[in-house]
Amino acid sequence: MAILSVSRVLLVAFAATLYAICRPPFSASRLDASLTGQVALVTGGSRGIGKGIAVGLGEAGATVYITGRTASKGGSNNGGIHGTSQAGSLEETCQAVIRAGGQCVPVAADSADDRVLEEVFERIWKEQGRLDILVNNAFSAVSWLPSTMGQAFWEKGPDAWDKVNTVGLRSHYLASVFAARLMSKAKQGLIVNVGSFGGMNYIFDVSYGIGKAAMDRMANDMAIELATENVTMVSVWPGLVKTENVADGALKGMKERRGYAPGSGGLDMEQLLPSPLAETPLFTGRAIAAFARDPKKMDFTGKVIVPSVMAWGYGILDERGLRSPPFTSLKFLLSVALQPLLRKCGIWEVPGSIFSPEPVAISNLVNFYWNLLPDLSFPGLLLKMGTGAPNL
């Protein structure tokens, strides 16, 4: 009997310790009411994650400037698979931001042009007299990366570096310079780099991994120098996001030998898309908007943060009424392993599409599994020891 009592105590202590370790350090109770009166800039806002972030900030009441190269609906671009034209434009994103309750200013601009990029910040300062939030999201290799999967870096040649990192790593650095000049005047602000797990582990190719790792280091080092100006800088790692490009089949072919680190198993990412394991762009947007409203955001400056971890703490759901678990969690891994069972129970495939104006009806079982069950996210140090920096 005594042994049984001790076992129960140990079990409760273990569960409490596990919960304390895995509990996200974010809380909805401390969030400011809105972002009304604040001005944000989202680069690369025509579609995808950038559009989701712009809409999320608009929902919170911000005035959102967005940049991109496709100004109007129906405009030609090379953002689709293999460089084909894809739906999405600044005009359509602004319409979505306004419907969500925000204000939006579209600015046709190519982030590869240094002077054009600087003029965006000059315009914001002239028109608004402030810049509160910068989200570095623009990325020009969205269609190029999947089309070159399986090719080695020496086969792609030196041009691969510029294709991936000119509008990305380099433009983000410059945008942060221009933003910091404005934010330091006000002694407040938030800069967000849209990074990736590819900054720690191999995804897509070499130039992509180097660029994403550098963006995380950029956030860390810039945060040190921005601290005296009360400006927060972080890098965020969205998970598998069901953007327009991904929904069109951009991830097909990721079973290539050079699409994964040597010796690792190839997970078919396509099979995850119908499930809540695939996040929506707006899910990331709502997480960033909540973080921008957090008066304790400076506590996280210089760090990598995961939108789905923020969502658990802030109580955020996507437009489907669901909360995707972090890809860095036990729940994510178990869900992949239990896919046949989840399908049988009717909780794997869920209805709804990205940017739907109203959440769809979900069953109590779906709500319990995806929204209420704890994620049990792995601590960052454990994650790094297990998957990243194998040369340390």
Side-chain angles (χ1 to χ4, degrees):
M1 191 70 176
I3 294 177
L4 182 60
S5 298
V6 171
S7 298
R8 287 176 178 174
V9 170
L10 291 175
L11 181 61
V12 170
F14 173 76
T17 302
L18 184 63
Y19 178 77
I21 293 174
C22 299
R23 182 183 180 185
F26 304 97
S27 174
S29 63
R30 65 180 184 233
L31 296 184
D32 294 334
S34 75
L35 295 175
T36 301
Q38 295 198 33
V39 178
L41 168 61
V42 180
T43 65
S46 299
R47 60 188 69 85
I49 294 176
K51 179 178 180 180
I53 295 171
V55 175
L57 293 169
E59 285 181 338
T63 295
V64 187
Y65 282 70
I66 56 173
T67 66
R69 294 174 294 174
T70 309
S72 303
K73 183 178 181 179
S76 62
N77 59 75
N78 60 358
I81 300 175
H82 302 299
T84 58
S85 188
Q86 188 169 53
S89 66
L90 298 176
E91 175 188 16
E92 292 165 279
T93 296
C94 271
Q95 290 171 350
V97 171
I98 293 170
R99 284 196 301 269
Q103 300 180 56
C104 187
V105 181
V107 183
D110 185 351
S111 291
D113 188 318
D114 297 355
R115 181 55 191 151
V116 168
L117 184 60
E118 185 174 19
E119 287 174 347
V120 174
F121 290 85
E122 292 174 349
R123 174 178 172 179
I124 292 173
W125 186 256
K126 180 179 179 180
E127 294 178 355
Q128 304 292 338
R130 63 186 296 166
L131 176 64
D132 301 280
I133 303 164
L134 166 65
V135 180
N136 287 316
N137 171 75
F139 187 58
S140 61
V142 171
S143 62
W144 182 83
L145 280 170
S147 69
T148 57
M149 284 291 297
Q151 295 181 30
F153 68 90
W154 60 90
E155 294 170 348
K156 295 176 183 179
D159 289 347
W161 176 265
D162 293 329
K163 286 181 180 294
V164 173
N165 292 315
T166 295
V167 179
L169 175 61
R170 185 179 188 279
S171 63
H172 295 346
Y173 181 91
L174 291 177
S176 299
V177 169
F178 302 143
R181 290 173 179 171
L182 304 183
M183 293 176 177
S184 61
K185 295 178 182 179
K187 298 296 181 182
Q188 64 86 34
L190 169 64
I191 302 176
V192 178
N193 279 348
V194 178
S196 165
F197 182 64
M200 187 169 69
N201 214 43
Y202 183 92
I203 300 176
F204 295 124
D205 81 343
V206 174
S207 55
Y208 178 84
I210 294 172
K212 292 301 185 181
M215 285 170 56
D216 295 342
R217 182 57 186 263
M218 184 200 308
N220 178 84
D221 290 6
M222 285 187 174
I224 293 173
E225 298 186 7
L226 287 168
T228 57
E229 312 307 308
N230 194 37
V231 175
T232 302
M233 185 161 185
V234 296
S235 187
V236 299
W237 285 1
L240 170 62
V241 182
K242 191 176 180 180
T243 63
E244 300 91 338
N245 203 40
V246 169
D248 287 346
L251 297 182
K252 290 181 179 178
M254 278 196 68
K255 292 183 179 179
E256 295 281 353
R257 153 66 175 80
R258 292 192 180 106
Y260 290 94
S264 65
L267 175 64
D268 184 1
M269 306 299 281
E270 285 276 318
Q271 68 178 329
L272 306 184
L273 296 181
S275 78
L277 295 181
E279 302 169 9
T280 71
L282 183 54
F283 186 63
T284 296
R286 286 176 173 172
I288 290 176
F291 183 72
R293 292 159 46 210
D294 193 333
K296 292 190 176 182
K297 56 182 171 287
M298 182 58 84
D299 292 348
F300 302 92
T301 195
K303 296 182 179 180
V304 171
I305 52 179
V306 179
S308 47
V309 174
M310 290 190 282
W312 173 250
Y314 290 140
I316 292 169
L317 302 178
D318 65 20
E319 59 270 51
R320 302 169 298 183
L322 297 168
R323 181 179 58 79
S324 297
F327 61 93
T328 56
S329 69
L330 183 60
K331 184 177 181 179
F332 187 101
L333 297 179
L334 286 176
S335 296
V336 173
L338 297 175
Q339 180 183 159
L341 177 61
L342 299 184
R343 286 184 182 276
K344 187 175 181 180
C345 294
I347 58 178
W348 177 259
E349 295 191 20
V350 293
S353 57
I354 62 173
F355 300 115
S356 298
E358 297 293 337
V360 296
I362 59 174
S363 69
N364 290 334
L365 185 57
V366 168
N367 180 64
F368 174 76
Y369 185 84
W370 295 112
N371 296 342
L372 301 180
L373 277 183
D375 297 325
L376 300 181
S377 297
F378 301 118
L381 180 59
L382 178 62
L383 182 68
K384 188 169 182 63
M385 290 172 61
T387 62
N391 53 330
L392 293 180

